[in-house]
Amino acid sequence: MDNRQAIGSWLSGPRAAMEEAGADFGYRGEQLGLPEQGPGSIARPGRRIGALAVDWGLCLLIAYGLFTDGYDARTGNWALLVFLVLSVLTVGTIGFTPGKRLFGLRVVALDTGTVQPLRGLLRSVLLCLAIPALVWDRDGRGLHDRLARTVEVRV
């Protein structure tokens, strides 16, 4: 291996280096029995972040309009509480938030296909802590999804 290959493998990340060495990781969601593309496939990070931005903006508007007199430090705290309540009520019952619906996403349980309220509560609390959502596995599922045994799929 020359220096260019070593530097290139470092820049492209460990997965690309392992794939170059012959490891076969498959596609995202293959281990879970999900299709590679189309409805039912694992949601891509761009759609997930877009849905989160829409939901957060909606929660900021609600917090700004109902709980604070102007935008200040308290608005973000109230928005986080509104986000938790919104997420628990919507994901735990119908499987999506307004932002997820807008981006064509749905949260499903791995074993039953529907998210029960307790799983929705666990997933939402962990999502509000932010750290579990930043730790992803090779399928693109956050730690909050792994612990709640859920997955976010395309509709």
Side-chain angles (χ1 to χ4, degrees):
M1 177 182 291
D2 66 3
N3 287 337
R4 288 178 293 176
Q5 286 178 326
I7 291 173
S9 68
W10 175 76
L11 290 174
S12 59
R15 181 180 176 129
M18 291 294 292
E19 285 175 344
E20 253 183 48
D24 181 26
F25 290 109
Y27 61 87
R28 290 179 180 217
E30 184 175 17
Q31 290 180 331
L32 305 172
L34 299 175
E36 185 174 2
Q37 297 175 2
S41 64
I42 294 231
R44 298 287 182 206
R47 284 184 180 216
R48 295 175 74 170
I49 291 170
L52 181 64
V54 168
D55 290 336
W56 183 253
L58 179 65
C59 292
L60 271 175
L61 284 173
I62 292 170
Y64 178 79
L66 294 180
F67 300 113
T68 59
D69 293 330
Y71 187 81
D72 56 9
R74 295 177 303 145
T75 308
N77 294 334
W78 280 107
L80 185 63
L81 181 64
V82 171
F83 180 80
L84 176 65
V85 171
L86 174 79
S87 184
V88 168
L89 292 178
T90 57
V91 171
T93 55
I94 57 176
F96 53 81
T97 61
K100 287 180 187 6
R101 182 68 179 154
L102 182 67
F103 280 85
L105 304 177
R106 184 179 188 87
V107 178
V108 296
L110 287 175
D111 49 358
T112 62
T114 58
V115 180
Q116 291 89 14
L118 287 177
R119 281 190 189 181
L121 174 67
L122 175 64
R123 184 184 188 279
S124 300
V125 167
L126 291 172
L127 183 61
C128 286
L129 293 176
I131 299 298
L134 297 175
V135 178
W136 291 9
D137 64 2
R138 75 178 200 94
D139 288 321
R141 291 174 49 208
L143 189 58
H144 63 294
D145 277 328
R146 289 185 59 97
L147 292 174
R149 295 189 323 259
T150 59
V151 63
E152 198 165 346
V153 296
R154 293 175 54 192
V155 177

PDB file of all heavy atoms in Angstrom, residues 113-146:
ATOM      1  N   GLY A 113     -44.268  -4.154  14.584  1.00  0.00           N
ATOM      2  CA  GLY A 113     -44.591  -3.244  13.500  1.00  0.00           C
ATOM      3  C   GLY A 113     -45.246  -1.952  13.951  1.00  0.00           C
ATOM      4  O   GLY A 113     -45.221  -0.969  13.237  1.00  0.00           O
ATOM      5  N   THR A 114     -45.840  -1.930  15.132  1.00  0.00           N
ATOM      6  CA  THR A 114     -46.425  -0.704  15.674  1.00  0.00           C
ATOM      7  C   THR A 114     -45.723  -0.359  16.980  1.00  0.00           C
ATOM      8  O   THR A 114     -45.309  -1.238  17.731  1.00  0.00           O
ATOM      9  CB  THR A 114     -47.935  -0.869  15.947  1.00  0.00           C
ATOM     10  OG1 THR A 114     -48.129  -1.961  16.851  1.00  0.00           O
ATOM     11  CG2 THR A 114     -48.696  -1.137  14.667  1.00  0.00           C
ATOM     12  N   VAL A 115     -45.613   0.921  17.240  1.00  0.00           N
ATOM     13  CA  VAL A 115     -44.920   1.384  18.436  1.00  0.00           C
ATOM     14  C   VAL A 115     -45.931   1.533  19.567  1.00  0.00           C
ATOM     15  O   VAL A 115     -46.906   2.271  19.442  1.00  0.00           O
ATOM     16  CB  VAL A 115     -44.218   2.730  18.176  1.00  0.00           C
ATOM     17  CG1 VAL A 115     -43.498   3.209  19.414  1.00  0.00           C
ATOM     18  CG2 VAL A 115     -43.244   2.598  17.028  1.00  0.00           C
ATOM     19  N   GLN A 116     -45.696   0.823  20.654  1.00  0.00           N
ATOM     20  CA  GLN A 116     -46.542   0.984  21.829  1.00  0.00           C
ATOM     21  C   GLN A 116     -46.150   2.252  22.568  1.00  0.00           C
ATOM     22  O   GLN A 116     -45.029   2.745  22.426  1.00  0.00           O
ATOM     23  CB  GLN A 116     -46.401  -0.222  22.774  1.00  0.00           C
ATOM     24  CG  GLN A 116     -46.989  -1.507  22.243  1.00  0.00           C
ATOM     25  CD  GLN A 116     -45.979  -2.300  21.428  1.00  0.00           C
ATOM     26  OE1 GLN A 116     -44.793  -2.034  21.472  1.00  0.00           O
ATOM     27  NE2 GLN A 116     -46.472  -3.268  20.674  1.00  0.00           N
ATOM     28  N   PRO A 117     -47.063   2.819  23.376  1.00  0.00           N
ATOM     29  CA  PRO A 117     -46.773   4.077  24.076  1.00  0.00           C
ATOM     30  C   PRO A 117     -45.524   4.036  24.955  1.00  0.00           C
ATOM     31  O   PRO A 117     -44.791   5.014  25.017  1.00  0.00           O
ATOM     32  CB  PRO A 117     -48.033   4.317  24.913  1.00  0.00           C
ATOM     33  CG  PRO A 117     -49.118   3.657  24.138  1.00  0.00           C
ATOM     34  CD  PRO A 117     -48.479   2.438  23.528  1.00  0.00           C
ATOM     35  N   LEU A 118     -45.240   2.922  25.609  1.00  0.00           N
ATOM     36  CA  LEU A 118     -44.047   2.868  26.460  1.00  0.00           C
ATOM     37  C   LEU A 118     -42.766   2.920  25.633  1.00  0.00           C
ATOM     38  O   LEU A 118     -41.785   3.554  26.025  1.00  0.00           O
ATOM     39  CB  LEU A 118     -44.061   1.614  27.341  1.00  0.00           C
ATOM     40  CG  LEU A 118     -45.065   1.639  28.485  1.00  0.00           C
ATOM     41  CD1 LEU A 118     -45.042   0.329  29.246  1.00  0.00           C
ATOM     42  CD2 LEU A 118     -44.786   2.797  29.412  1.00  0.00           C
ATOM     43  N   ARG A 119     -42.766   2.264  24.492  1.00  0.00           N
ATOM     44  CA  ARG A 119     -41.601   2.354  23.603  1.00  0.00           C
ATOM     45  C   ARG A 119     -41.455   3.762  23.057  1.00  0.00           C
ATOM     46  O   ARG A 119     -40.356   4.276  22.914  1.00  0.00           O
ATOM     47  CB  ARG A 119     -41.725   1.373  22.442  1.00  0.00           C
ATOM     48  CG  ARG A 119     -41.374  -0.021  22.814  1.00  0.00           C
ATOM     49  CD  ARG A 119     -41.281  -0.855  21.580  1.00  0.00           C
ATOM     50  NE  ARG A 119     -41.158  -2.247  21.952  1.00  0.00           N
ATOM     51  CZ  ARG A 119     -41.031  -3.226  21.104  1.00  0.00           C
ATOM     52  NH1 ARG A 119     -41.031  -2.977  19.814  1.00  0.00           N
ATOM     53  NH2 ARG A 119     -40.916  -4.459  21.514  1.00  0.00           N
ATOM     54  N   GLY A 120     -42.582   4.393  22.734  1.00  0.00           N
ATOM     55  CA  GLY A 120     -42.545   5.779  22.270  1.00  0.00           C
ATOM     56  C   GLY A 120     -42.005   6.712  23.338  1.00  0.00           C
ATOM     57  O   GLY A 120     -41.243   7.634  23.041  1.00  0.00           O
ATOM     58  N   LEU A 121     -42.370   6.462  24.597  1.00  0.00           N
ATOM     59  CA  LEU A 121     -41.873   7.270  25.704  1.00  0.00           C
ATOM     60  C   LEU A 121     -40.369   7.088  25.868  1.00  0.00           C
ATOM     61  O   LEU A 121     -39.624   8.062  25.977  1.00  0.00           O
ATOM     62  CB  LEU A 121     -42.600   6.896  26.994  1.00  0.00           C
ATOM     63  CG  LEU A 121     -42.086   7.563  28.269  1.00  0.00           C
ATOM     64  CD1 LEU A 121     -42.362   9.054  28.222  1.00  0.00           C
ATOM     65  CD2 LEU A 121     -42.723   6.936  29.492  1.00  0.00           C
ATOM     66  N   LEU A 122     -39.900   5.845  25.871  1.00  0.00           N
ATOM     67  CA  LEU A 122     -38.468   5.574  26.013  1.00  0.00           C
ATOM     68  C   LEU A 122     -37.684   6.209  24.868  1.00  0.00           C
ATOM     69  O   LEU A 122     -36.668   6.880  25.089  1.00  0.00           O
ATOM     70  CB  LEU A 122     -38.210   4.062  26.051  1.00  0.00           C
ATOM     71  CG  LEU A 122     -36.748   3.631  26.070  1.00  0.00           C
ATOM     72  CD1 LEU A 122     -36.060   4.108  27.336  1.00  0.00           C
ATOM     73  CD2 LEU A 122     -36.646   2.122  25.921  1.00  0.00           C
ATOM     74  N   ARG A 123     -38.155   6.028  23.649  1.00  0.00           N
ATOM     75  CA  ARG A 123     -37.470   6.586  22.479  1.00  0.00           C
ATOM     76  C   ARG A 123     -37.432   8.104  22.548  1.00  0.00           C
ATOM     77  O   ARG A 123     -36.413   8.723  22.260  1.00  0.00           O
ATOM     78  CB  ARG A 123     -38.185   6.138  21.207  1.00  0.00           C
ATOM     79  CG  ARG A 123     -37.510   6.580  19.944  1.00  0.00           C
ATOM     80  CD  ARG A 123     -38.325   6.174  18.719  1.00  0.00           C
ATOM     81  NE  ARG A 123     -37.588   6.432  17.500  1.00  0.00           N
ATOM     82  CZ  ARG A 123     -37.505   7.614  16.920  1.00  0.00           C
ATOM     83  NH1 ARG A 123     -38.128   8.657  17.451  1.00  0.00           N
ATOM     84  NH2 ARG A 123     -36.809   7.770  15.809  1.00  0.00           N
ATOM     85  N   SER A 124     -38.527   8.720  22.953  1.00  0.00           N
ATOM     86  CA  SER A 124     -38.598  10.181  22.994  1.00  0.00           C
ATOM     87  C   SER A 124     -37.707  10.766  24.084  1.00  0.00           C
ATOM     88  O   SER A 124     -37.035  11.775  23.864  1.00  0.00           O
ATOM     89  CB  SER A 124     -40.039  10.626  23.217  1.00  0.00           C
ATOM     90  OG  SER A 124     -40.856  10.162  22.176  1.00  0.00           O
ATOM     91  N   VAL A 125     -37.689  10.147  25.249  1.00  0.00           N
ATOM     92  CA  VAL A 125     -36.830  10.632  26.331  1.00  0.00           C
ATOM     93  C   VAL A 125     -35.365  10.531  25.928  1.00  0.00           C
ATOM     94  O   VAL A 125     -34.580  11.460  26.117  1.00  0.00           O
ATOM     95  CB  VAL A 125     -37.110   9.856  27.643  1.00  0.00           C
ATOM     96  CG1 VAL A 125     -36.038  10.117  28.674  1.00  0.00           C
ATOM     97  CG2 VAL A 125     -38.475  10.233  28.189  1.00  0.00           C
ATOM     98  N   LEU A 126     -34.985   9.405  25.336  1.00  0.00           N
ATOM     99  CA  LEU A 126     -33.599   9.246  24.896  1.00  0.00           C
ATOM    100  C   LEU A 126     -33.257  10.219  23.765  1.00  0.00           C
ATOM    101  O   LEU A 126     -32.141  10.732  23.699  1.00  0.00           O
ATOM    102  CB  LEU A 126     -33.343   7.808  24.454  1.00  0.00           C
ATOM    103  CG  LEU A 126     -33.349   6.771  25.585  1.00  0.00           C
ATOM    104  CD1 LEU A 126     -33.286   5.369  25.009  1.00  0.00           C
ATOM    105  CD2 LEU A 126     -32.211   7.019  26.553  1.00  0.00           C
ATOM    106  N   LEU A 127     -34.204  10.488  22.888  1.00  0.00           N
ATOM    107  CA  LEU A 127     -33.976  11.447  21.814  1.00  0.00           C
ATOM    108  C   LEU A 127     -33.765  12.852  22.363  1.00  0.00           C
ATOM    109  O   LEU A 127     -32.919  13.598  21.878  1.00  0.00           O
ATOM    110  CB  LEU A 127     -35.146  11.430  20.829  1.00  0.00           C
ATOM    111  CG  LEU A 127     -35.045  12.322  19.608  1.00  0.00           C
ATOM    112  CD1 LEU A 127     -33.836  11.928  18.765  1.00  0.00           C
ATOM    113  CD2 LEU A 127     -36.301  12.230  18.785  1.00  0.00           C
ATOM    114  N   CYS A 128     -34.499  13.215  23.410  1.00  0.00           N
ATOM    115  CA  CYS A 128     -34.339  14.538  24.014  1.00  0.00           C
ATOM    116  C   CYS A 128     -32.998  14.678  24.734  1.00  0.00           C
ATOM    117  O   CYS A 128     -32.504  15.791  24.899  1.00  0.00           O
ATOM    118  CB  CYS A 128     -35.488  14.823  24.987  1.00  0.00           C
ATOM    119  SG  CYS A 128     -37.029  15.190  24.137  1.00  0.00           S
ATOM    120  N   LEU A 129     -32.393  13.583  25.129  1.00  0.00           N
ATOM    121  CA  LEU A 129     -31.064  13.643  25.729  1.00  0.00           C
ATOM    122  C   LEU A 129     -29.984  13.905  24.693  1.00  0.00           C
ATOM    123  O   LEU A 129     -28.869  14.269  25.033  1.00  0.00           O
ATOM    124  CB  LEU A 129     -30.753  12.344  26.473  1.00  0.00           C
ATOM    125  CG  LEU A 129     -31.596  12.066  27.712  1.00  0.00           C
ATOM    126  CD1 LEU A 129     -31.246  10.704  28.302  1.00  0.00           C
ATOM    127  CD2 LEU A 129     -31.405  13.155  28.752  1.00  0.00           C
ATOM    128  N   ALA A 130     -30.287  13.702  23.428  1.00  0.00           N
ATOM    129  CA  ALA A 130     -29.450  13.995  22.250  1.00  0.00           C
ATOM    130  C   ALA A 130     -28.261  13.062  22.076  1.00  0.00           C
ATOM    131  O   ALA A 130     -27.953  12.694  20.955  1.00  0.00           O
ATOM    132  CB  ALA A 130     -28.977  15.438  22.241  1.00  0.00           C
ATOM    133  N   ILE A 131     -27.560  12.657  23.112  1.00  0.00           N
ATOM    134  CA  ILE A 131     -26.379  11.804  22.941  1.00  0.00           C
ATOM    135  C   ILE A 131     -26.746  10.461  22.313  1.00  0.00           C
ATOM    136  O   ILE A 131     -26.084  10.032  21.370  1.00  0.00           O
ATOM    137  CB  ILE A 131     -25.637  11.617  24.275  1.00  0.00           C
ATOM    138  CG1 ILE A 131     -25.148  12.951  24.815  1.00  0.00           C
ATOM    139  CG2 ILE A 131     -24.487  10.633  24.135  1.00  0.00           C
ATOM    140  CD1 ILE A 131     -24.156  13.674  23.936  1.00  0.00           C
ATOM    141  N   PRO A 132     -27.795   9.763  22.782  1.00  0.00           N
ATOM    142  CA  PRO A 132     -28.125   8.488  22.134  1.00  0.00           C
ATOM    143  C   PRO A 132     -28.452   8.628  20.647  1.00  0.00           C
ATOM    144  O   PRO A 132     -28.187   7.725  19.869  1.00  0.00           O
ATOM    145  CB  PRO A 132     -29.338   7.984  22.913  1.00  0.00           C
ATOM    146  CG  PRO A 132     -29.220   8.628  24.234  1.00  0.00           C
ATOM    147  CD  PRO A 132     -28.624   9.976  23.963  1.00  0.00           C
ATOM    148  N   ALA A 133     -28.992   9.761  20.240  1.00  0.00           N
ATOM    149  CA  ALA A 133     -29.330   9.953  18.831  1.00  0.00           C
ATOM    150  C   ALA A 133     -28.090  10.179  17.973  1.00  0.00           C
ATOM    151  O   ALA A 133     -28.123   9.992  16.763  1.00  0.00           O
ATOM    152  CB  ALA A 133     -30.281  11.136  18.681  1.00  0.00           C
ATOM    153  N   LEU A 134     -26.984  10.561  18.585  1.00  0.00           N
ATOM    154  CA  LEU A 134     -25.757  10.818  17.842  1.00  0.00           C
ATOM    155  C   LEU A 134     -24.877   9.582  17.713  1.00  0.00           C
ATOM    156  O   LEU A 134     -23.883   9.611  16.997  1.00  0.00           O
ATOM    157  CB  LEU A 134     -24.974  11.947  18.517  1.00  0.00           C
ATOM    158  CG  LEU A 134     -25.698  13.294  18.548  1.00  0.00           C
ATOM    159  CD1 LEU A 134     -24.893  14.305  19.351  1.00  0.00           C
ATOM    160  CD2 LEU A 134     -25.957  13.809  17.157  1.00  0.00           C
ATOM    161  N   VAL A 135     -25.223   8.505  18.397  1.00  0.00           N
ATOM    162  CA  VAL A 135     -24.465   7.260  18.317  1.00  0.00           C
ATOM    163  C   VAL A 135     -25.244   6.315  17.411  1.00  0.00           C
ATOM    164  O   VAL A 135     -26.325   5.861  17.766  1.00  0.00           O
ATOM    165  CB  VAL A 135     -24.275   6.634  19.723  1.00  0.00           C
ATOM    166  CG1 VAL A 135     -23.537   5.325  19.625  1.00  0.00           C
ATOM    167  CG2 VAL A 135     -23.568   7.599  20.641  1.00  0.00           C
ATOM    168  N   TRP A 136     -24.704   6.023  16.213  1.00  0.00           N
ATOM    169  CA  TRP A 136     -25.391   5.212  15.214  1.00  0.00           C
ATOM    170  C   TRP A 136     -24.704   3.888  15.029  1.00  0.00           C
ATOM    171  O   TRP A 136     -23.497   3.766  15.186  1.00  0.00           O
ATOM    172  CB  TRP A 136     -25.407   5.923  13.873  1.00  0.00           C
ATOM    173  CG  TRP A 136     -26.262   7.135  13.814  1.00  0.00           C
ATOM    174  CD1 TRP A 136     -26.887   7.771  14.843  1.00  0.00           C
ATOM    175  CD2 TRP A 136     -26.579   7.875  12.652  1.00  0.00           C
ATOM    176  NE1 TRP A 136     -27.576   8.849  14.381  1.00  0.00           N
ATOM    177  CE2 TRP A 136     -27.401   8.944  13.039  1.00  0.00           C
ATOM    178  CE3 TRP A 136     -26.242   7.738  11.317  1.00  0.00           C
ATOM    179  CZ2 TRP A 136     -27.900   9.873  12.153  1.00  0.00           C
ATOM    180  CZ3 TRP A 136     -26.746   8.668  10.429  1.00  0.00           C
ATOM    181  CH2 TRP A 136     -27.566   9.708  10.848  1.00  0.00           C
ATOM    182  N   ASP A 137     -25.482   2.874  14.647  1.00  0.00           N
ATOM    183  CA  ASP A 137     -24.900   1.589  14.277  1.00  0.00           C
ATOM    184  C   ASP A 137     -24.736   1.540  12.763  1.00  0.00           C
ATOM    185  O   ASP A 137     -24.996   2.509  12.063  1.00  0.00           O
ATOM    186  CB  ASP A 137     -25.744   0.419  14.802  1.00  0.00           C
ATOM    187  CG  ASP A 137     -27.135   0.358  14.196  1.00  0.00           C
ATOM    188  OD1 ASP A 137     -27.467   1.186  13.327  1.00  0.00           O
ATOM    189  OD2 ASP A 137     -27.903  -0.527  14.601  1.00  0.00           O
ATOM    190  N   ARG A 138     -24.331   0.404  12.237  1.00  0.00           N
ATOM    191  CA  ARG A 138     -24.059   0.310  10.805  1.00  0.00           C
ATOM    192  C   ARG A 138     -25.327   0.378   9.960  1.00  0.00           C
ATOM    193  O   ARG A 138     -25.267   0.630   8.765  1.00  0.00           O
ATOM    194  CB  ARG A 138     -23.266  -0.946  10.477  1.00  0.00           C
ATOM    195  CG  ARG A 138     -24.048  -2.213  10.516  1.00  0.00           C
ATOM    196  CD  ARG A 138     -23.164  -3.393  10.119  1.00  0.00           C
ATOM    197  NE  ARG A 138     -23.959  -4.507   9.698  1.00  0.00           N
ATOM    198  CZ  ARG A 138     -24.285  -4.750   8.434  1.00  0.00           C
ATOM    199  NH1 ARG A 138     -23.880  -3.962   7.488  1.00  0.00           N
ATOM    200  NH2 ARG A 138     -25.028  -5.783   8.125  1.00  0.00           N
ATOM    201  N   ASP A 139     -26.472   0.167  10.557  1.00  0.00           N
ATOM    202  CA  ASP A 139     -27.739   0.288   9.831  1.00  0.00           C
ATOM    203  C   ASP A 139     -28.276   1.714   9.846  1.00  0.00           C
ATOM    204  O   ASP A 139     -29.325   1.981   9.267  1.00  0.00           O
ATOM    205  CB  ASP A 139     -28.785  -0.649  10.431  1.00  0.00           C
ATOM    206  CG  ASP A 139     -28.500  -2.103  10.121  1.00  0.00           C
ATOM    207  OD1 ASP A 139     -28.061  -2.388   8.988  1.00  0.00           O
ATOM    208  OD2 ASP A 139     -28.699  -2.951  11.006  1.00  0.00           O
ATOM    209  N   GLY A 140     -27.613   2.622  10.549  1.00  0.00           N
ATOM    210  CA  GLY A 140     -28.082   3.996  10.620  1.00  0.00           C
ATOM    211  C   GLY A 140     -29.091   4.236  11.724  1.00  0.00           C
ATOM    212  O   GLY A 140     -29.724   5.283  11.756  1.00  0.00           O
ATOM    213  N   ARG A 141     -29.250   3.276  12.609  1.00  0.00           N
ATOM    214  CA  ARG A 141     -30.173   3.438  13.739  1.00  0.00           C
ATOM    215  C   ARG A 141     -29.435   4.062  14.902  1.00  0.00           C
ATOM    216  O   ARG A 141     -28.335   3.654  15.251  1.00  0.00           O
ATOM    217  CB  ARG A 141     -30.723   2.083  14.179  1.00  0.00           C
ATOM    218  CG  ARG A 141     -31.642   1.471  13.181  1.00  0.00           C
ATOM    219  CD  ARG A 141     -32.057   0.075  13.550  1.00  0.00           C
ATOM    220  NE  ARG A 141     -32.514  -0.027  14.900  1.00  0.00           N
ATOM    221  CZ  ARG A 141     -32.417  -1.141  15.625  1.00  0.00           C
ATOM    222  NH1 ARG A 141     -31.876  -2.219  15.128  1.00  0.00           N
ATOM    223  NH2 ARG A 141     -32.856  -1.169  16.851  1.00  0.00           N
ATOM    224  N   GLY A 142     -30.065   5.061  15.520  1.00  0.00           N
ATOM    225  CA  GLY A 142     -29.483   5.681  16.698  1.00  0.00           C
ATOM    226  C   GLY A 142     -29.628   4.771  17.907  1.00  0.00           C
ATOM    227  O   GLY A 142     -30.415   3.818  17.916  1.00  0.00           O
ATOM    228  N   LEU A 143     -28.870   5.075  18.938  1.00  0.00           N
ATOM    229  CA  LEU A 143     -28.940   4.295  20.171  1.00  0.00           C
ATOM    230  C   LEU A 143     -30.337   4.356  20.780  1.00  0.00           C
ATOM    231  O   LEU A 143     -30.801   3.385  21.374  1.00  0.00           O
ATOM    232  CB  LEU A 143     -27.891   4.807  21.158  1.00  0.00           C
ATOM    233  CG  LEU A 143     -27.645   4.010  22.415  1.00  0.00           C
ATOM    234  CD1 LEU A 143     -27.235   2.583  22.082  1.00  0.00           C
ATOM    235  CD2 LEU A 143     -26.574   4.673  23.264  1.00  0.00           C
ATOM    236  N   HIS A 144     -31.029   5.475  20.594  1.00  0.00           N
ATOM    237  CA  HIS A 144     -32.396   5.592  21.105  1.00  0.00           C
ATOM    238  C   HIS A 144     -33.324   4.589  20.406  1.00  0.00           C
ATOM    239  O   HIS A 144     -34.214   4.025  21.030  1.00  0.00           O
ATOM    240  CB  HIS A 144     -32.907   7.020  20.976  1.00  0.00           C
ATOM    241  CG  HIS A 144     -33.010   7.510  19.575  1.00  0.00           C
ATOM    242  ND1 HIS A 144     -31.910   7.694  18.760  1.00  0.00           N
ATOM    243  CD2 HIS A 144     -34.068   7.859  18.817  1.00  0.00           C
ATOM    244  CE1 HIS A 144     -32.295   8.129  17.591  1.00  0.00           C
ATOM    245  NE2 HIS A 144     -33.610   8.244  17.584  1.00  0.00           N
ATOM    246  N   ASP A 145     -33.103   4.357  19.113  1.00  0.00           N
ATOM    247  CA  ASP A 145     -33.903   3.361  18.390  1.00  0.00           C
ATOM    248  C   ASP A 145     -33.520   1.945  18.798  1.00  0.00           C
ATOM    249  O   ASP A 145     -34.379   1.072  18.905  1.00  0.00           O
ATOM    250  CB  ASP A 145     -33.714   3.522  16.875  1.00  0.00           C
ATOM    251  CG  ASP A 145     -34.600   4.604  16.289  1.00  0.00           C
ATOM    252  OD1 ASP A 145     -35.712   4.803  16.800  1.00  0.00           O
ATOM    253  OD2 ASP A 145     -34.171   5.238  15.314  1.00  0.00           O
ATOM    254  N   ARG A 146     -32.256   1.695  19.005  1.00  0.00           N
ATOM    255  CA  ARG A 146     -31.817   0.352  19.400  1.00  0.00           C
ATOM    256  C   ARG A 146     -32.382  -0.038  20.770  1.00  0.00           C
ATOM    257  O   ARG A 146     -32.844  -1.159  20.961  1.00  0.00           O
ATOM    258  CB  ARG A 146     -30.302   0.253  19.404  1.00  0.00           C
ATOM    259  CG  ARG A 146     -29.698   0.259  18.016  1.00  0.00           C
ATOM    260  CD  ARG A 146     -28.218   0.027  18.058  1.00  0.00           C
ATOM    261  NE  ARG A 146     -27.879  -1.228  18.680  1.00  0.00           N
ATOM    262  CZ  ARG A 146     -27.618  -2.344  18.030  1.00  0.00           C
ATOM    263  NH1 ARG A 146     -27.666  -2.364  16.723  1.00  0.00           N
ATOM    264  NH2 ARG A 146     -27.304  -3.440  18.685  1.00  0.00           N
TER     265      ARG A 146
END
